[in-house]
Amino acid sequence: MIDKPDPEDTRSPKFLIMDNTPLSLLGAIEALDWFFEPGCDVWITDLVLEEATREPGGGRDQRRATRNYIASWMESNRYRLTVLATAEGERYRQEMELWELAGSPERLRPTWKDRGEASLLQGVQTIKAALQSGEAIVVLVDDRDARDAIRAVRADINMMGTQTFIEWLLEDFGIAQAETAWTSILMATGNTADPGENEDPVYIRNSP
């Protein structure tokens, strides 16, 4: 069931997990420490991390400074984060090994399409097993297809895009820098950042 939460719904966020876009957008303004502000356990899937830090290939947006910052932040906070191995990540690693054994022909390079989003969905499915009564997962996701898939998960989930997450930090946690953060992100990304869906946040509840 998806709808706005009941005013008496006291389920508190316990886990926070995200797709690549929040990592990249908050990384562009060096604000990844904000993931810790809600006080949740922070999880990142193997492929989301790979997507955020890998070389994008020729002709793609390089943003090396952002990727370097994300990699450095991950290393500095490795004891505060959980990097979740997923079946999609293992499948990708196996495909890459076979591709390299074949001589790495460009036409046979394993596709990256939708892999990060698939690993995020698998991560949410894994985390929901650890939820206790009265707890919820915060899922930060901007990809529209991934949001549609997460809507079908039977778990207590607070799903929001990056811009809504920033607004939450400002309104509920008093992060003063969040007031201008979205404008800074737009400047850093050349106005290409997706402001998100009109229905945001989305509250998915497994039970009344």
Side-chain angles (χ1 to χ4, degrees), residues 74-120:
M74 286 293 304
E75 175 61 23
S76 298
N77 292 281
R78 62 189 182 278
Y79 299 117
R80 302 177 69 187
L81 303 166
T82 298
V83 178
L84 180 64
T86 63
E88 189 67 29
E90 180 58 28
R91 186 178 302 113
Y92 178 70
R93 283 186 287 273
Q94 291 176 357
E95 290 177 9
M96 286 296 293
E97 288 178 8
L98 291 173
W99 178 66
E100 291 167 0
L101 287 173
S104 306
E106 190 59 33
R107 65 185 180 85
L108 297 179
R109 178 189 289 272
T111 180
W112 186 261
K113 182 176 173 56
D114 298 330
R115 288 190 185 269
E117 290 74 17
S119 77
L120 173 67

Side-chain angles (χ1 to χ4, degrees), residues 156-170:
D156 291 326
I157 295 172
N158 304 329
M159 180 171 66
M160 65 186 73
T162 304
Q163 186 175 28
T164 300
F165 177 67
I166 290 170
E167 293 170 356
W168 184 37
L169 293 175
L170 175 65

Side-chain angles (χ1 to χ4, degrees), residues 10-15 41 127-137 155-156 206-207:
T10 58
R11 276 167 277 208
S12 61
K14 171 62 177 176
F15 299 100
D41 296 336
I127 292 174
K128 78 172 189 176
L131 283 180
Q132 302 295 318
S133 177
E135 296 177 343
I137 308 169
D156 291 326
N206 188 39
S207 57

Side-chain angles (χ1 to χ4, degrees), residues 28-95:
I29 61 170
E30 299 191 357
L32 295 185
D33 282 347
W34 289 356
F35 289 140
F36 299 120
E37 290 297 332
C40 305
D41 296 336
V42 179
W43 292 51
I44 300 174
T45 72
D46 47 6
L47 283 185
V48 167
L49 177 58
E50 172 76 12
E51 185 175 6
T53 57
R54 71 188 179 101
E55 286 289 332
R60 303 290 183 87
D61 187 350
Q62 297 298 311
R63 294 190 188 167
R64 288 191 173 88
T66 296
R67 292 202 312 279
N68 290 339
Y69 165 72
I70 293 172
S72 175
W73 180 83
M74 286 293 304
E75 175 61 23
S76 298
N77 292 281
R78 62 189 182 278
Y79 299 117
R80 302 177 69 187
L81 303 166
T82 298
V83 178
L84 180 64
T86 63
E88 189 67 29
E90 180 58 28
R91 186 178 302 113
Y92 178 70
R93 283 186 287 273
Q94 291 176 357
E95 290 177 9

